[in-house]
Amino acid sequence: MSSVKIKLNPAEVEKLKEVCASFGNQSGELINVLHKAQSIFGYLPAEVQEIVAQELNVPVAKVYGVVTFYSFFTMIPKGQHPISVCTGTACYVRGAEKVLDEFKRRLKIEVGETSADGKFSLSCLRCVGACGLAPVVLVGEKVYGRVSADGVADILAEYE
Amino acid sequence: MEFVNLTIDNKTVKVEKGTSILKAARSVGIDIPTLCYMSLGDMNIENKPGGCRICVVEVEGRKNLAPACCTDAHTDMVIKTNTMRVLNARRTVLELILSDHPADCLICAKSGNCELQDMAHKLGVREIHYKGEMSTYKPDKSPSIIRDMDKCIMCRRCEMMCNQVQTVGALWGINRGFEAVVSPAFEMDLEKSTCTYCGQCVAVCPTGALTEVDHTNQVIRALADPNKTVVVQTAPAVRAALGEEFGLKPGTLVTGKMAAALRRLGFDFVFDTDFAADLTIMEEGTELLDRLGKFLNGDKEVKLPILTSCCPGWVNFFEKQFPEMKDIPSTARSPQQMFGAIAKTYFAEKIQTKREDMVVVSVMPCLAKKYECQRDEFATDGNPDVDFSISTRELANLIKGANIDFNLLPDEDFDNPMGDSTGAAVIFGTTGGVIEAAVRSAYELHTKKKLEKVDFEQLRGLEGVREATIDFDGLPIRIGIAHGLGNARKLLEDIKAGKSDFHAIEIMACPGGCIGGGGQPLHHGDSSILKARQIAIYQEDKNKPIRKSHENPFIIKLYEEYLGHPMSEKAHHLLHTHYFDKKNEFLIE
C-alpha cells in the first residue's frame, strides 16, 4: 500500500464520480467501476479505491479485496511506455520467456513493476491474436513481431 | 413443505428439501467433521464457503467428492461419509492445511481450545507428508485484538461475522491463491480500519489467528504490588458463562464462586459492575425522561430516539460509520467506566487512598472494553479510571494459574459499597436487558406509580430486531432493540431517513448481547449455549430481592453522599461523556 497521500487530479476525481453515478452507484457494479477507474487513472491507488468505496457504499476492504484478486487491476502506476510481453502459447513456445527475461534484466524490474524513472512498466498478456508474428511485444499501442532477446535493446532505444 | 428421502451410511434419512447433506447427516447422528463451516442457527448466522473441504463425502454416481456443508440433499442420493476414499481425502486436505500452519501449539494462546488442533487429533494425523513454502504476514496488535495471520486457515468465518452479521467491513479476503488472506484494506493495521473491536471475529476464529490482547500479567503484577489497592468489577454476563471454563453446564450461574475466586486471587475489594449498571440506569433513565419531557412539551430540537451507550463496540461503530449521529446516543458512560470513575473518586476518598495507588480491574465478556478503558477521555492526569480490562476467558486463566479449584469454592458475596446491585442491573448482560432495566425505573419515576409487574416479556428474546410499545400510564412509549451491528445499522438508517418512530432504542454490538460477547468462553458455533446463558441471566434477576435500579440502597446513598442527583454537575463530570467523529479522514479534499 502507499503510505504517502497522493494528490489526485480533481478533474479526474470528478470523472470517477460520474462513472460511479453512471452505474447507479450500485455495489454490484464494483468491477465495472474499477475497470473504468483504472482507465481514467492508469492504476488504482488507495485514494481511488476509497472514493469508489464511498460512492458505491461498500467497505474499502472489499474494494481492496477485489483489486488484489484480479490480475488486471494494479495499484502500481503504469510507466510512460507500458511494455506487454505476450506469453500466450504460440509466443511462449517461440521464446517469449527469454524476451521477457531480457526486459527484466535491462529495466531492473519484475513483471507488474515500473522502472524507477517512471518511463517503462512491464506486464505479461495472453495472446493478442497475432500468433503468426510470435513472439509479440506491445509498447503502448505499437506492436513488435518476431522479437528476440537480442532485439530488446533496440526496442528500448526507440523510447530513450 | 417438500421432503426428500436419501441414504447416508446405509441409514434412510428424510429431510426438508434444500437441507444440506451435512445437516441431513447430523439429524440422524452422523457427525461429519467440519472446519470452516459454522452455524448459529437461532440467529440465522451461517458460514459455509465450502473452502476447507474437510466435510467431503462420497455421493454414488458422482465423480468427485462433494462438500457436505454446501451440497443439498436430493431424493435417492446414496451417500457414504466414511469410505477409504473419503478418509484419505479428508486427511490429505488436513495435512495440506497443516503444512502451511506454524506448529507452535505448545505456546499458542488458542491451544486446548483450537478447532484445527482438535481436527488433527480427531483424524489421527501423526505425520505431515507435505513440505513447502509457509505464509508469513506481519503481526498486527490493536488495543483489543491480535492478528497472527500465519495461523489463518482461510475459513472466512471472521469475514462473514465482520461483514454479513456486523456490517463493520473491516476484514475482507484479499489476494489470491497461496497469498490469499483475510485483512483490513491495504493491509493496514486493524486499529486504522473501521474495526469496532466487537471481537466477534475472535469469538469464531477456529485457530490462533485472532486472539485478544492478554492483560493477565499486568493484573498479576498489580496484585503482587503491596502499595496498590486493587479493586475488581465483574460484568453481568461473566457470571453466566465463566463456569463453562471449568466444565460446568452452559447457563450455570457462578456469581458466588466467582466472588470467592476473585478474593482468593488477592483483590482487595471484590465489587460488581452491576452496581454501576444501576447507576447507568439512574443517569440514562433520567436523560431519557428529560428528552421525552422536552419532546412532549413541543421542543423541536430534542434528539429522539435516545440510544443506549453502554456497549463500547456500538460506540465505536457509530463514531466510525455514523459520526453525523453522534448527538443521538445517551451521554451516559458505560457501566465499566462509571464504575472506574466512582471507584477512583468516591470510594478512593472513603478508604483514603490516592487514585495513583488504586488499580481498577474489570472482568468483561467483551474485547472492546479493553479499548474503551484506554480512551483518553476516561483518564485523569494520565491515570485511567479503569486500568485493565480482562475477558471472561482471561479470568478463567488467572484462576487456573493460581491453583484455585473453582468448583469446590464456596459461594461468597461481593464487598460493599460497590458490590450491591438489583435484578435490573443483571439483565444488562443480555439483549433487551438494558432497556428493560431503564423501563422499570423510568416508568416509576415518570408516572410516580409503583410498577406491579417488572418482567417485560415483550422486550425479551433473541430476534435480531425487536420492537414493543410500553404503556407509561396512558403514554405509549415506543421501544426498539437491536443486537448485532448489522441489525443496529438497519435502525440507524431508519432514523437517518426520518422513518423511526421510537422513543428509545437499545443497541448491543454482539449477537445475543454481552452473553455472546467477544470475550466469553468460545461457543464453537453452538447457539444453545447463548440461550442457556440468557436464561441464567433472567434467573439471576428473579433471584434478586430488589429488581429496580433506583431502589438500590447503595445507589441512593451514593447520590445522597456524593453526586447530589442524577445529571447533576458532578454526575455529568464523572458519569457522562461525549463522542467523536472517527470516520477515517477522507484522503481527497
Side-chain angles (χ1 to χ4, degrees):
Chain A
M1 84 164 272
S2 56
S3 51
V4 194
K5 279 191 189 183
I6 299 167
K7 198 82 187 159
L8 296 176
N9 177 340
E12 287 178 340
V13 171
E14 217 35 60
K15 208 164 152 198
L16 174 59
K17 289 185 178 171
E18 279 165 26
V19 165
C20 294
S22 76
F23 284 102
N25 295 91
Q26 295 281 316
S27 59
E29 299 286 356
L30 176 58
I31 291 178
N32 287 328
V33 169
L34 288 174
H35 261 272
K36 299 266 182 193
Q38 186 156 300
S39 70
I40 296 172
F41 296 93
Y43 69 122
L44 296 169
E47 291 78 358
V48 168
Q49 295 181 42
E50 293 213 4
I51 296 171
V52 170
Q54 180 105 340
E55 294 298 305
L56 305 190
N57 196 21
V58 295
V60 67
K62 177 180 183 169
V63 178
Y64 182 70
V66 170
V67 168
T68 53
F69 184 84
Y70 292 104
S71 59
F72 174 81
F73 296 128
T74 175
M75 288 182 68
I76 300 165
K78 280 249 165 73
Q80 212 177 324
H81 307 290
I83 300 169
S84 304
V85 179
C86 177
T87 50
T89 312
C91 291
Y92 193 85
V93 298
R94 297 192 61 174
E97 199 176 13
K98 283 188 183 130
V99 173
L100 184 62
D101 286 343
E102 184 64 10
F103 275 114
K104 286 191 207 170
R105 194 181 68 80
R106 287 192 172 267
L107 297 171
K108 297 186 183 65
I109 56 173
E110 289 297 312
V111 172
E113 292 180 351
T114 300
S115 61
D117 59 5
K119 210 157 199 173
F120 297 102
S121 54
L122 189 58
S123 67
C124 291
L125 52 78
R126 298 268 190 276
C127 199
V128 290
C131 305
L133 297 173
V136 172
V137 170
L138 266 81
V139 181
E141 306 273 290
K142 192 170 171 187
V143 180
Y144 295 82
R146 301 213 171 86
V147 181
S148 67
D150 296 340
V152 165
D154 291 341
I155 294 175
L156 290 175
E158 281 183 41
Y159 301 91
E160 289 301 338
Chain B
M1 205 176 283
E2 212 179 318
F3 288 91
V4 294
N5 291 290
L6 65 159
T7 312
I8 307 178
D9 291 348
N10 302 319
K11 270 190 188 174
T12 313
V13 188
K14 183 182 176 186
V15 290
E16 207 180 307
K17 197 178 172 194
T19 305
S20 67
I21 294 174
L22 176 70
K23 282 185 182 163
R26 286 187 176 170
S27 73
V28 289
I30 299 167
D31 191 20
I32 300 171
T34 56
L35 195 51
C36 66
Y37 178 80
M38 190 199 73
S39 161
L40 286 171
D42 296 313
M43 281 176 265
N44 286 324
I45 296 171
E46 196 176 32
N47 184 60
K48 49 172 184 182
C52 77
R53 272 9 213 194
I54 287 287
C55 69
V56 286
V57 294
E58 216 170 316
V59 182
E60 209 175 87
R62 198 174 147 148
K63 201 172 124 219
N64 295 326
L65 298 177
C69 72
C70 54
T71 307
D72 282 358
H74 290 294
T75 287
D76 297 336
M77 260 185 174
V78 178
I79 292 163
K80 293 263 166 32
T81 75
N82 54 10
T83 61
M84 195 66 178
R85 187 180 169 210
V86 166
L87 294 180
N88 280 336
R90 203 169 274 159
R91 183 185 293 242
T92 302
V93 160
L94 186 59
E95 282 188 37
L96 284 168
I97 294 171
L98 293 173
S99 74
D100 186 23
H101 192 84
D104 64 353
C105 295
L106 283 175
I107 51 166
C108 178
K110 216 49 175 295
S111 188
N113 214 345
C114 168
E115 293 177 43
L116 184 63
Q117 196 179 45
D118 290 349
M119 191 59 63
H121 178 69
K122 182 179 168 123
L123 301 194
V125 176
R126 294 288 171 270
E127 195 182 342
I128 297 163
H129 293 87
Y130 309 96
K131 283 227 155 31
E133 204 184 329
M134 304 278 284
S135 317
T136 47
Y137 301 95
K138 78 178 162 66
D140 173 14
K141 185 175 174 180
S142 71
S144 294
I145 296 169
I146 297 174
R147 293 173 60 243
D148 178 1
M149 288 296 110
D150 295 2
K151 293 179 180 167
C152 173
I153 57 166
M154 283 304 278
C155 71
R156 310 188 84 149
R157 290 184 191 175
C158 57
E159 188 186 354
M160 184 274 297
M161 288 309 271
C162 192
N163 293 286
Q164 277 158 258
V165 178
Q166 301 295 62
T167 66
V168 164
L171 295 173
W172 206 277
I174 64 157
N175 297 331
R176 64 192 301 169
F178 187 72
E179 274 93 39
V181 70
V182 177
S183 161
F186 316 122
E187 284 135 273
M188 64 167 85
D189 289 342
L190 207 53
E191 197 172 355
K192 298 211 173 76
S193 74
T194 50
C195 179
T196 62
Y197 305 130
C198 73
Q200 284 304 311
C201 56
V202 177
V204 299
C205 179
T207 72
L210 295 165
T211 52
E212 70 264 45
V213 176
D214 190 324
H215 287 107
T216 50
N217 282 334
Q218 283 97 320
V219 173
I220 292 171
R221 213 168 294 142
L223 289 169
D225 187 340
N227 300 317
K228 299 283 184 199
T229 301
V230 191
V231 175
V232 67
Q233 53 162 321
T234 60
V238 177
R239 68 209 64 195
L242 179 64
E244 293 163 32
E245 293 281 341
F246 300 95
L248 298 175
K249 226 172 68 213
T252 308
L253 277 170
V254 294
T255 320
K257 288 190 194 309
M258 178 177 69
L262 291 166
R263 209 160 273 131
R264 278 153 189 73
L265 281 170
F267 287 100
D268 298 299
F269 294 94
V270 179
F271 287 148
D272 199 354
T273 314
D274 289 21
F275 169 83
D278 279 331
L279 190 55
T280 302
I281 289 303
M282 298 304 292
E283 295 295 326
E284 201 169 270
T286 306
E287 194 184 353
L288 164 67
L289 290 177
D290 179 58
R291 286 201 209 175
L292 201 59
K294 284 180 183 157
F295 173 75
L296 294 173
N297 285 331
D299 184 343
K300 295 269 187 292
E301 296 296 298
V302 71
K303 305 272 190 203
L304 277 180
I306 187 170
L307 307 174
T308 57
S309 56
C310 332
C311 170
W314 150 235
V315 169
N316 292 338
F317 184 68
F318 74 72
E319 283 188 332
K320 285 185 171 182
Q321 302 217 17
F322 293 87
E324 67 278 8
M325 296 169 80
K326 67 183 165 59
D327 295 335
I328 303 181
S330 161
T331 59
R333 292 184 191 180
S334 72
Q336 167 178 275
Q337 294 309 135
M338 285 200 181
F339 181 97
I342 294 298
K344 287 203 175 175
T345 54
Y346 171 72
F347 182 64
E349 283 169 33
K350 253 189 190 314
I351 59 166
Q352 295 178 341
T353 301
K354 285 191 287 202
R355 76 176 284 138
E356 310 81 85
D357 294 333
M358 182 182 274
V359 175
V360 174
V361 176
S362 70
V363 184
M364 293 283 145
C366 177
L367 301 187
K369 289 284 175 196
K370 287 176 183 285
Y371 165 76
E372 184 188 43
C373 72
Q374 294 173 37
R375 289 175 76 123
D376 292 341
E377 63 269 29
F378 297 141
T380 303
D381 302 328
N383 180 280
D385 291 343
V386 175
D387 295 80
F388 306 111
S389 175
I390 60 171
S391 66
T392 311
R393 296 189 290 263
E394 287 170 85
L395 174 60
N397 289 342
L398 273 179
I399 295 170
K400 289 171 189 167
N403 311 327
I404 296 166
D405 189 335
F406 187 78
N407 294 328
L408 291 182
L409 288 172
D411 285 344
E412 292 182 8
D413 286 329
F414 291 107
D415 294 319
N416 276 328
M418 297 178 71
D420 231 42
S421 66
T422 71
V426 174
I427 56 175
F428 265 58
T430 173
T431 169
V434 173
I435 207 73
E436 180 169 340
V439 165
R440 288 182 193 174
S441 286
Y443 178 92
E444 291 203 350
L445 297 172
H446 178 76
T447 63
K448 314 272 187 291
K449 284 184 181 168
K450 188 170 157 54
L451 191 62
E452 292 309 328
K453 191 176 171 300
V454 296
D455 296 297
F456 288 87
E457 298 292 342
Q458 62 271 52
L459 299 173
R460 301 182 181 180
L462 278 173
E463 212 36 53
V465 177
R466 307 193 292 284
E467 52 182 274
T469 306
I470 308 285
D471 178 19
F472 270 38
D473 201 23
L475 177 67
I477 298 293
R478 294 275 298 138
I479 305 273
I481 296 166
H483 60 115
L485 290 170
N487 292 322
R489 179 184 290 275
K490 290 177 201 156
L491 294 187
L492 284 181
E493 301 283 5
D494 280 354
I495 297 172
K496 218 165 140 181
K499 288 194 295 193
S500 181
D501 69 340
F502 295 117
H503 296 106
I505 295 176
E506 176 203 283
I507 292 174
M508 294 192 189
C510 291
C514 310
I515 49 171
Q520 291 281 56
L522 302 175
H523 52 63
H524 294 298
D526 183 353
S527 55
S528 72
I529 292 178
L530 300 187
K531 272 189 175 164
R533 290 176 190 164
Q534 189 179 51
I535 291 166
I537 291 271
Y538 285 118
Q539 191 53 48
E540 180 95 325
D541 168 30
K542 268 213 164 74
N543 294 344
K544 290 272 187 179
I546 304 174
R547 299 180 64 193
K548 288 169 262 178
S549 296
H550 60 284
E551 291 176 356
N552 181 335
F554 289 93
I555 292 288
I556 295 168
K557 202 167 154 204
L558 172 65
Y559 278 105
E560 279 171 6
E561 288 181 3
Y562 198 68
L563 295 169
H565 55 86
M567 294 181 76
S568 68
E569 205 184 313
K570 194 153 200 171
H572 255 291
H573 175 64
L574 291 173
L575 307 178
H576 288 255
T577 186
H578 52 281
Y579 306 109
F580 301 88
D581 180 348
K582 293 193 175 167
K583 199 162 200 159
N584 268 355
E585 229 194 338
F586 206 39
L587 295 167
I588 327 294
E589 265 83 58

